[in-house]
Amino acid sequence: MLLSTLLSPYTLVAVVAVYFVLPYLKLWRLSDIPSPSVAAFTNLWLMLQARRGQRSITVHEMHKKYGKMVRIGPNHISIADDAAIQTIYAHGNGFLKADFYDAFVSIRRGLFNTRDRAEHTRKRKTISHTFSAKSIGEFEQYIHGNVELFVKQWNKLSDLEANPKTGYASVDALNWFNYLAFDVIGDLAFGAPFGMLEKGQDIAEMRKSPDGPPTYVPAVEVLNRRGEVSATLGCCPALIPFAKYIPDRFFKDGLEAVANLAGIAIARVNERLKPENMANNTRVDLLARLMEGKDETGATLGRQELTAEALTQLIAGSDTTSNTSCAILYWALRTPGVIEKLHKALDKAIPQGIEVPSFAMVKEIPYLQWVIWETMRIHSTSSMGLPREIPAGNPPIEICGHLFYPGDILAVPAYTIHHSTEVWGPDADEFVPERWDPARLTARQKAAFIPFSTGPRACVGRNVAEMELLVICGTFFRMFDYQLEQEGPMLCREGFLRKPLGLNVGIKRRVPA
C-alpha cells in the first residue's frame, strides 16, 4: 500500500514540482530573462548542448533569437555584451569561478580549476615567474627544435608521397599539428618531447601512480575525451559523483580519459624527477621553473601539486595550439589572397637558407600577426562563456539594466562576442586579417577580443602561446605550398575547447623567394 502511494502519479508530480518548480520560483527575479526550452528549470538543457559538442554555437543562436541576455540555466545567465566583460572578469570585482570547474579536477586542484580566491592567489604567485619574459626567451629553443623536426617530416612526406599528377602529398594537417603541439609542450613541461613527430603517431606513456607499471595511450584522443566529458559534467556538477552510472558510453570513456590524462602527467613527472635525470640537469623548461616557484611563506610545490600544475600546462599548451594552427591554415587557404600576402611578408623578413625562423624574425611581421589574431577571433578555440559566480556578501551587480545577486552565475560568450556585428561590423563572419591594422582597429574591438580570457584568471601562458604560434605559422606558411582537399566547412566539435575534426590538405615543398 505504501509503495503504491509513493509511486502514484500525484507523488511523481509533487517530486517534479519540488525539484524543478520550487527552484524556479525561488529565482523568479530572473524570469524576465528569456530562456530556451527548459533551461530556466534545469541545467540539463545546457548539459545536453555540451554533450552534443555544440554548446557555443547553440548559445550563439539563442542570442540571435532572444537578444543580449539569455538564461541558459536556472541561475546561469549568458550576457552577449562586450561592456560586461570587465564587470564579470576584471581584477577586483570579487567574482569566483563557478562550480563548472569542479568537473576538471583530477589529481588535485591546480591554477586553472581552483575556485578559492586565496588559494588561486597563492598558486599564481608560485607559478607566475614561470612565464616571465626571461623564462619565455629560454623556452624558445624547445619550440624551435620540434618545429625543425616537423619541417623534416613534412619534407619527407612531400618527397615520398606526392601525387605524380598534382605534385602534392595528401595529409590530415590536424594530426601533424597535434603531434607538433604535444611534442613542444612535452619538451617545455616535462623535459622531453612525447616522440609523436618522430613516430608520426599519437602515443604517450601513462602510469596510475609514480611506481605503477607503464602503459601506453593515445594522448590526443585522451585529451579530447577528457575535455568533452568535463565540459559536459560541469554544466550539472551535482551529477559528477554519479557520472559512472550514467548509461551513456560517452561518460565511461570520458572518465577513463580523465584518469589516463592524469597518468600521462604522473609518468612524465616521474621520469623527469629520477635522480639520474636530475643530476647536473641544466634545462630551463616549465617543470624546472615550477620546481623553483615559492609562495609567500617560501614553500615550494609538493610532488602532487607539482604534477597537477604540470598537467595544467600539458592541457593548456597542447590542443589549444594545434586547434588554432589548424584553423589558421584552413582560413588562410579558403580566403583568396591571404597565402600570397603571407608569402610576400615572410620572404621579405626571413633570410634565405633559414627553414625555422627565430621569434625575433617573425614577431614584427604585422600581416602574420593579423592572420593569427583574426583566426582566434573567427574560430575562437575557447568559445564558451566562462562561468563566474557572484559570491556571498557581494552587493548586487547591475548589467544591461538587470540586477544580479550572490549565487547568480554570469558569463560572456566569447564566440558570440567575437562574431558580433555591433562590435566588428557587418563583415563579422568573414575572415579579414586587415581589420587588425592599427589604423582600422577600434578601442572597443581591442577590448572585446578575449581569446585568452581577461583579468586575474586569464591564461598565464599567453606569451608562450603567441610566440609558439608565430614561429610555427611563420615556418609552415613559408616552407610549403598547399591545396585544400576537402569540400565544405571545417567541421568542429566542442569540449572545453572548440576543436577541428580534421583538415585534409595537399602539401609540397616551397622554395622561399
Side-chain angles (χ1 to χ4, degrees):
M1 180 69 178
L2 178 61
L3 181 61
S4 62
T5 301
L6 290 174
L7 295 179
S8 72
Y10 301 106
T11 303
L12 294 176
V13 169
V15 169
V16 170
V18 169
Y19 190 80
F20 292 109
V21 178
L22 288 183
Y24 178 79
L25 294 175
K26 181 181 178 182
L27 293 168
W28 182 255
R29 58 187 171 75
L30 299 176
S31 62
D32 60 321
I33 300 174
S35 61
S37 184
V38 296
F41 293 92
T42 173
N43 289 316
L44 294 176
W45 178 85
L46 187 60
M47 183 176 178
L48 177 60
Q49 311 317 313
R51 171 66 182 87
R52 293 171 55 227
Q54 298 296 326
R55 170 176 169 162
S56 293
I57 300 300
T58 303
V59 170
H60 181 59
E61 293 301 318
M62 295 302 99
H63 279 293
K64 288 199 290 186
K65 180 177 180 179
Y66 294 118
K68 287 190 174 183
M69 291 202 298
V70 178
R71 191 176 178 185
I72 58 176
N75 64 332
H76 190 169
I77 311 300
S78 180
I79 304 175
D81 186 345
D82 55 305
I85 293 173
Q86 289 302 308
T87 304
I88 296 172
Y89 299 102
H91 291 269
N93 63 11
F95 284 29
L96 303 176
K97 281 195 169 184
D99 55 3
F100 169 81
Y101 291 89
D102 291 346
F104 292 83
V105 180
S106 53
I107 298 172
R108 60 174 292 173
R109 290 191 185 273
L111 184 67
F112 168 72
N113 50 40
T114 189
R115 297 172 58 206
D116 180 83
R117 188 182 297 120
E119 178 65 6
H120 175 262
T121 299
R122 184 189 74 81
K123 287 181 179 293
R124 194 171 182 103
K125 179 177 177 61
T126 306
I127 293 166
S128 59
H129 79 289
T130 303
F131 298 98
S132 66
K134 178 183 177 181
S135 294
I136 290 169
E138 293 170 331
F139 295 159
E140 183 179 354
Q141 59 187 303
Y142 307 116
I143 296 171
H144 206 277
N146 287 286
V147 178
E148 285 179 348
L149 181 54
F150 175 85
V151 172
K152 177 182 176 181
Q153 296 293 65
W154 270 27
N155 279 337
K156 188 184 299 183
L157 288 170
S158 299
D159 295 342
L160 299 180
E161 299 186 17
N163 184 317
K165 292 183 179 180
T166 65
Y168 288 91
S170 297
V171 300
D172 183 341
L174 176 64
N175 286 340
W176 285 96
F177 289 136
N178 278 328
Y179 303 156
L180 173 59
F182 266 83
D183 275 359
V184 168
I185 199 61
D187 222 354
L188 279 174
F190 300 110
F194 285 94
M196 293 185 187
L197 283 171
E198 192 70 52
K199 300 181 184 76
Q201 185 180 1
D202 172 18
I203 190 168
E205 177 188 330
M206 62 85 63
R207 295 173 186 261
K208 296 294 185 182
S209 66
D211 299 324
T215 56
Y216 295 86
V217 295
V220 177
E221 179 182 332
V222 163
L223 183 58
N224 287 341
R225 286 184 174 176
R226 176 264 188 189
E228 290 179 8
V229 78
S230 296
T232 300
L233 288 171
C235 297
C236 200
L239 290 180
I240 294 173
F242 312 103
K244 62 183 177 181
Y245 304 113
I246 299 176
D248 179 349
R249 185 62 184 262
F250 168 87
F251 292 97
K252 179 182 178 181
D253 290 344
L255 293 174
E256 182 180 358
V258 171
N260 286 344
L261 190 61
I264 292 172
I266 290 170
R268 296 310 301 268
V269 170
N270 182 65
E271 183 67 22
R272 180 76 158 78
L273 297 184
K274 285 182 178 178
E276 60 269 29
N277 292 333
M278 291 296 292
N280 301 317
N281 193 321
T282 58
R283 284 183 63 96
V284 284
D285 53 28
L286 283 168
L287 199 63
R289 290 288 180 252
L290 287 173
M291 287 188 285
E292 293 171 356
K294 297 179 181 180
D295 63 19
E296 65 278 2
T297 69
T300 58
L301 299 176
R303 174 70 170 259
Q304 191 180 61
E305 190 173 14
L306 179 67
T307 305
E309 296 303 344
L311 174 60
T312 297
Q313 303 311 320
L314 168 63
I315 295 167
S318 52
D319 62 346
T320 49
T321 302
S322 58
N323 294 343
T324 303
S325 299
C326 187
I328 289 168
L329 179 57
Y330 168 75
W331 284 99
L333 282 174
R334 75 183 297 276
T335 309
V338 171
I339 296 290
E340 292 77 9
K341 291 176 184 177
L342 281 169
H343 283 167
K344 183 177 179 180
L346 291 166
D347 290 347
K348 180 180 179 181
I350 302 170
Q352 284 280 357
I354 291 178
E355 289 189 338
V356 180
S358 66
F359 177 52
M361 293 176 187
V362 292
K363 69 178 182 179
E364 302 297 340
I365 304 177
Y367 193 73
L368 176 62
Q369 184 66 80
W370 298 351
V371 167
I372 293 172
W373 282 337
E374 181 67 350
T375 304
M376 288 180 168
R377 181 194 69 82
I378 200 166
H379 174 71
S380 298
T381 290
S382 178
S383 286
M384 70 173 64
L386 301 175
R388 299 292 186 264
E389 180 178 346
I390 303 176
N394 258 46
I397 302 292
E398 183 176 349
I399 301 176
C400 295
H402 201 290
L403 283 177
F404 297 98
Y405 292 82
D408 291 344
I409 295 173
L410 309 178
V412 176
Y415 184 92
T416 300
I417 293 297
H418 288 171
H419 286 254
S420 168
T421 54
E422 182 181 325
V423 176
W424 303 98
D427 61 353
D429 288 329
E430 298 176 21
F431 187 77
V432 185
E434 287 79 5
R435 77 170 78 245
W436 294 94
D437 185 331
R440 290 182 54 178
L441 189 69
T442 68
R444 182 181 184 183
Q445 290 169 340
K446 188 175 180 180
F449 183 54
I450 49 172
F452 297 98
S453 190
T454 190
R457 303 305 296 260
C459 176
V460 295
R462 173 176 184 161
N463 292 335
V464 175
E466 291 188 326
M467 176 175 70
E468 187 176 352
L469 284 171
L470 281 164
V471 172
I472 289 172
C473 294
T475 300
F476 74 67
F477 278 123
R478 182 166 173 266
M479 298 306 298
F480 298 94
D481 282 320
Y482 303 90
Q483 64 177 14
L484 196 57
E485 294 186 346
Q486 64 182 44
E487 296 182 2
M490 179 180 66
L491 299 178
C492 296
R493 180 175 174 84
E494 187 174 18
F496 181 72
L497 302 175
R498 186 165 171 265
K499 56 185 181 292
L501 297 181
L503 181 62
N504 297 321
V505 298
I507 63 170
K508 69 177 180 180
R509 289 188 190 227
R510 174 180 181 266
V511 178

